[in-house]
Amino acid sequence: MVGIHTAVRARRRPASVLAGLCAATALLALAGCGGGTSTANGSYGFPQVKQESSAITVWVDADRQAAAKAFQKANPDTKINVVAYDGSANGSNSFRTKMQLFDRAGSGWPDVVFSTQNNDAAWASQKSNGKQAFAAVLDKGLVPGDTLAKFTPGSLNPCKVDGQLYCLRNDLAQTVLWYNKKLMDQFGYALPTTWEDYQALGEKVAKQHPGYIIGAAGDGFAPEIYMWAGKCQANGVTGPKSVTVKVDTPECKRVASMLDTLRGNGTVPVVSVFTPEFVKKYTGKVLMMPGPAWYAGAIFNNPQSLNVPAGQLGVAAPLPWKGDDKAVTGNVGGGTWFVSSHSKNLAAAEKFVQFVTTADDYQVNVAPGYPAYAPAADKWIAKQESSKYFATSLQPVVTAASDVWDGWGYGVFSQEAIWAKTMTTGVTGGKSLVALLPDWQQAIENQAKVNGYSVN
Amino acid sequence: MTIAPPSDQLAAGAFERRRPARPNGRAPGRTPIGYVFVSLYALLALAFGVFPSLYAVVLAFTNADGGFAGAGNFTKVVGDFRFWPAVLHVTLYLVIWLVALVVFVVGLALLVHAVRVRWAGTALRFVYYLPGALAGASSVLLWLFVLDPTASPVSGLLHAFGFDSFVAVIQPGHLPAIFAIIAFWTGAGGWIVIMYGALNNISTEMLEAAQVDGANAVQIALRIQLPLLRKWIAYMGVMSLAAGTQLFVEPQLLSQASNAVVPNDYSLNQLAYQYAFQQNDFNGAAAISLILLVVALLLSWVFVTRGGLFEKE
């Protein structure tokens, strides 16, 4: 793999040549020269540079290097330079940071980028300081319509801004209810069918089996697991620069109240599932846990984490609230692939993203997460079930994939970070989530405004 | 953030005192080799110090299109809801750290200097200096373990203070003290060595005279050693202030390690970083940097004048 700095360095010479050409052009003709900006409007709905059959540069995180390898194996004639980077994970924001620097330099953009963040389309689709938007429009002819139609319904929502598609989803992160079937049977508990039942069961567990837990709310994605599924309108992104924030609603209060109760009795602790503390305290003690599809591999079937033995882990569909006509669920992550609008080889870039999101060679045979591309997802589920690890059918995971509530959007700022610094610290400091709701509202509004959003 | 104290300066100063006058009487600064050494430094200082600062000044007074923005960028960043909390965070951290630095560094240097057993003094200086070998980001990574009650070698102590989880340790109110402890741990050892060197420069005749006059160790420390250390304390203050106002690595790493429980806009430098790379607003970032520069210069001026750093003896 080529290191990130090597790749950038390799592009310096063209950058300096281009800069020289710009200066000369500006002096002679006072003509605009954006350094690598478009030469003509393309047929795909965005301005394109002159196309050539050059190698493409793809940026992937550690996990997606397998995708690039699978592509290279299946398409030896298409040359790709693979650059490893952190995938913009854990709030590093490196994807956006580096594209903005390339915008300023006027060159250097990679052709394809994988991001672990599902809200990157919010900025990548927009012009910034007058510079062309980084992301290529994909649904105006670049990616075939029949391919896009086969993605799981709703799965491409994070990639849509103002009705146009700017990325392809790699995997989905729909929230389901994971549970330990063996423990549930042993304790004689029935699966809850509503969130109210879930809370009642938590209160029973606290009395009858103290120490056991039915969830965790210590990570920044707690709002995406609980508040999103409760239809709390904390993140109603209504346009590229507008958001509706209403957390003083019965929908938000019912979730906050439930979490306060369960936190109080110790059945939903405010501990991150990725900490040694969680593993130490709760290995063998997790009765149930609402969480994204990827919890199966990352938390339960992971020797470094809870390491639940085969034949115990079951999965149930997302729970509805009493009175709601149907259950909805939240979403925690899920990677995305972007094609650069500056690419000199859009055909190869499109071929690459289509392969890594749809081909069985990667999505079924190698990928660790639930594929966004529905035909691959079916085969992926069949493969997981054939492993005999799970105690129940994985069908609820498939159903939940298209039940993600669309009232929670994908803005440019991180709801997870706001929750962590406002609610997690507040709760640890002794306050209740219900009491902290106004603080949360204010924090979201503040963050939205400094990012240029109008708040309704 | 932490800068290495220039421990060789005392040695250089001592050498200069012992150096005999040149036979031809030519001033050392006039030799061509001097210009070669200085020119390299000057070039680097211009390239990485002066020009970027000037560029920041230009950015701070212009908008994204390059037009003159007046004080627009400054009013924008000062009006940002994150600005004043960041000012408060950095101020609290600086107060705790600088006070601790001055009190403990000077105190420990005096103690080490008072140790008459040669090997014990050497060993103590080595032990004090050792943590400084682990500076910057690597030091913060070490502290991530120290501060986590489930992984810390001093978990008993953390539990005794009532901290059962990492999040409880890194509550917002604890952060100035935590960052001050980290900075002290990595930086104080070097300064102790420097203060020790400065104490060695005090003439033994003066100290013996004081002893003959009946002064005890405390009186000698307060009446003779401390006043003679004043310049070095001021020097430590200026250097530490400059480094401290740029608080960035500690909260940034802690923010990532805590999954944003520690906010990524905790310090002013982080806020400038957010402006530049989250909001793509380099002009706003430059305005914050310039405010920081002016404040640091003003405070340094106070240290320099009050500490008599440039006074001739």
Side-chain angles (χ1 to χ4, degrees):
Chain A
M1 295 296 165
V2 183
I4 200 164
H5 298 297
T6 317
V8 174
R9 194 163 51 239
R11 286 171 168 262
R12 271 188 191 155
R13 184 170 292 172
S16 59
V17 172
L18 200 57
L21 285 173
C22 284
T25 312
L27 282 172
L28 289 171
L30 293 176
C33 178
T37 51
S38 319
T39 53
N41 277 335
S43 53
Y44 298 135
F46 61 91
Q48 295 166 226
V49 292
K50 193 179 171 204
Q51 297 294 295
E52 49 191 62
S53 58
S54 53
I56 57 167
T57 300
V58 299
W59 282 20
V60 291
D61 68 343
D63 286 346
R64 255 50 60 166
Q65 290 194 7
K69 273 185 190 164
F71 177 83
Q72 278 173 316
K73 197 175 168 190
N75 300 277
D77 295 336
T78 305
K79 300 294 176 208
I80 61 170
N81 299 317
V82 182
V83 176
Y85 88 121
D86 69 356
S88 229
N90 292 330
S92 77
N93 205 27
S94 52
F95 175 24
R96 188 180 185 190
T97 301
K98 290 179 193 303
M99 295 314 119
Q100 286 173 358
L101 290 175
F102 291 140
D103 280 348
R104 293 180 79 81
S107 67
W109 304 277
D111 299 275
V112 175
V113 177
F114 173 82
S115 171
T116 57
Q117 309 300 302
N118 58 23
N119 57 355
D120 280 324
W123 64 264
S125 63
Q126 304 298 307
K127 277 188 171 183
S128 182
N129 290 341
K131 302 287 169 58
Q132 180 174 323
F134 170 77
V137 179
L138 302 181
D139 59 348
K140 301 285 183 210
L142 188 58
V143 179
D146 59 339
T147 302
L148 299 177
K150 288 180 192 162
F151 276 77
T152 298
S155 67
L156 294 176
N157 284 354
C159 295
K160 283 182 183 161
V161 178
D162 255 358
Q164 297 200 107
L165 187 74
Y166 291 92
C167 59
L168 292 185
R169 206 76 184 282
N170 179 75
D171 55 309
L172 302 185
Q174 67 277 32
T175 297
V176 290
L177 181 62
W178 296 104
Y179 66 96
N180 189 313
K181 189 170 184 306
K182 188 185 164 198
L183 281 177
M184 290 288 279
D185 291 346
Q186 188 184 320
F187 293 167
Y189 293 143
L191 268 180
T193 52
T194 63
W195 282 107
E196 285 83 354
D197 285 352
Y198 172 84
Q199 178 175 334
L201 182 63
E203 291 175 54
K204 206 189 279 184
V205 169
K207 285 180 191 145
Q208 298 174 348
H209 300 282
Y212 285 83
I213 62 170
I214 63 165
D219 290 292
F221 41 75
E224 294 164 347
I225 295 174
Y226 299 101
M227 291 292 185
W228 195 330
K231 294 187 184 174
C232 172
Q233 201 174 21
N235 195 31
V237 178
T238 50
K241 285 294 171 192
S242 58
V243 62
T244 301
V245 186
K246 284 180 184 159
V247 306
D248 189 26
T249 59
E251 286 80 7
C252 301
K253 283 178 181 167
R254 64 186 179 184
V255 182
S257 171
M258 175 189 77
L259 289 175
D260 279 335
T261 303
L262 298 177
R263 178 177 54 85
N265 66 26
T267 53
V268 178
V270 184
V271 179
S272 166
V273 295
F274 295 108
T275 56
E277 181 189 356
F278 181 80
V279 178
K280 195 173 165 187
K281 269 187 174 170
Y282 301 113
T283 296
K285 300 272 188 182
V286 178
L287 196 58
M288 286 190 289
M289 185 141 75
W294 50 263
Y295 265 13
I299 307 291
F300 297 109
N301 188 16
N302 179 356
Q304 307 297 319
S305 187
L306 295 178
N307 200 21
V308 175
Q312 294 189 11
L313 187 65
V315 60
L319 300 171
W321 283 88
K322 266 183 191 159
D324 287 355
D325 47 353
K326 73 184 278 282
V328 294
T329 194
N331 171 78
V332 186
T336 44
W337 292 96
F338 287 85
V339 172
S340 167
S341 67
H342 306 285
S343 175
K344 290 177 185 166
N345 193 348
L346 285 166
E350 188 277 327
K351 189 178 176 183
F352 182 87
V353 292
Q354 192 172 162
F355 176 90
V356 293
T357 51
T358 65
D360 291 354
D361 287 355
Y362 173 62
Q363 285 291 354
V364 178
N365 300 339
V366 183
Y370 181 91
Y373 187 66
D378 292 339
K379 293 176 196 167
W380 186 88
I381 285 285
K383 185 186 165 201
Q384 303 300 316
E385 288 183 333
S386 71
S387 72
K388 306 293 180 200
Y389 175 75
F390 296 94
T392 65
S393 157
L394 288 176
Q395 192 53 40
V397 179
V398 181
T399 313
S402 43
D403 285 345
V404 175
W405 183 52
D406 60 7
W408 189 290
Y410 302 87
V412 73
F413 55 92
S414 167
Q415 286 287 346
E416 296 171 1
I418 296 171
W419 178 274
K421 77 174 176 184
T422 312
M423 304 297 261
T424 306
T425 51
V427 165
T428 311
K431 291 183 180 171
S432 73
L433 285 176
V434 172
L436 284 164
L437 286 175
D439 294 354
W440 192 35
Q441 168 92 24
Q442 190 63 53
I444 301 170
E445 285 185 13
N446 285 341
Q447 201 65 46
K449 283 174 186 165
V450 295
N451 280 283
Y453 281 76
S454 64
V455 182
N456 305 308
Chain B
M1 185 218 73
T2 314
I3 52 165
S7 52
D8 55 339
Q9 291 200 4
L10 276 179
F15 175 69
E16 200 164 326
R17 264 176 221 161
R18 288 196 300 270
R19 191 167 51 197
R22 284 169 177 264
N24 60 7
R26 197 168 63 176
R30 301 270 172 86
T31 56
I33 193 70
Y35 288 114
V36 172
F37 283 126
V38 169
S39 64
L40 189 62
Y41 170 80
L43 274 176
L44 292 173
L46 280 173
F48 299 108
V50 177
F51 286 143
S53 303
L54 292 176
Y55 183 49
V57 173
V58 172
L59 281 178
F61 288 99
T62 52
N63 55 32
D65 301 324
F68 183 64
N73 289 316
F74 294 94
T75 51
K76 175 179 62 187
V77 298
V78 170
D80 189 313
F81 79 99
R82 299 166 293 184
F83 182 80
W84 290 108
V87 169
L88 181 67
H89 298 153
V90 174
T91 307
L92 280 173
Y93 155 74
L94 272 177
V95 168
I96 296 172
W97 181 45
L98 289 183
V99 169
L101 204 62
V102 170
V103 171
F104 288 109
V105 163
V106 174
L108 287 170
L110 287 169
L111 270 179
V112 174
H113 194 255
V115 173
R116 293 292 167 214
V117 185
R118 192 182 173 85
W119 66 265
T122 311
L124 274 176
R125 289 205 308 279
F126 177 71
V127 168
Y128 290 149
Y129 191 75
L130 207 55
L134 196 69
S138 51
S139 167
V140 183
L141 290 177
L142 171 80
W143 276 92
L144 290 179
F145 288 98
V146 175
L147 297 173
D148 186 343
T150 53
S152 176
V154 290
S155 57
L157 193 66
L158 292 172
H159 285 297
F161 278 104
F163 302 136
D164 294 325
S165 67
F166 184 51
V167 177
V169 175
I170 57 169
Q171 280 289 291
H174 305 160
L175 291 174
I178 288 174
F179 294 140
I181 292 169
I182 295 175
F184 183 84
W185 165 267
T186 51
W191 287 115
I192 291 171
V193 173
I194 288 183
M195 292 298 164
Y196 179 83
L199 286 168
N200 278 344
N201 271 4
I202 299 172
S203 75
T204 47
E205 290 85 353
M206 194 188 297
L207 298 175
E208 280 168 6
Q211 276 177 329
V212 169
D213 287 346
N216 61 29
V218 175
Q219 286 169 323
I220 290 174
L222 291 176
R223 303 275 173 83
I224 297 174
Q225 290 172 311
L226 267 183
L228 288 172
L229 279 183
R230 193 173 64 135
K231 280 186 181 181
W232 290 102
I233 295 171
Y235 178 65
M236 179 172 72
V238 170
M239 299 302 282
S240 304
L241 186 75
T245 51
Q246 294 166 39
L247 181 68
F248 182 81
V249 175
E250 288 86 348
Q252 189 73 6
L253 283 181
L254 213 51
S255 176
Q256 290 204 19
S258 66
N259 289 320
V261 169
V262 173
N264 58 11
D265 46 27
Y266 181 82
S267 74
L268 283 169
N269 250 3
Q270 281 183 295
L271 185 56
Y273 184 82
Q274 289 294 311
Y275 260 88
F277 299 116
Q278 176 72 34
Q279 296 166 223
N280 202 12
D281 183 352
F282 281 75
N283 307 94
I288 296 173
S289 306
L290 218 58
I291 292 170
L292 256 180
L293 179 68
V294 170
V295 171
L297 281 176
L298 282 174
L299 290 172
S300 298
W301 177 76
V302 172
F303 270 89
V304 168
T305 51
R306 304 293 293 178
L309 202 56
F310 296 134
E311 282 173 13
K312 288 183 178 173
E313 287 174 11

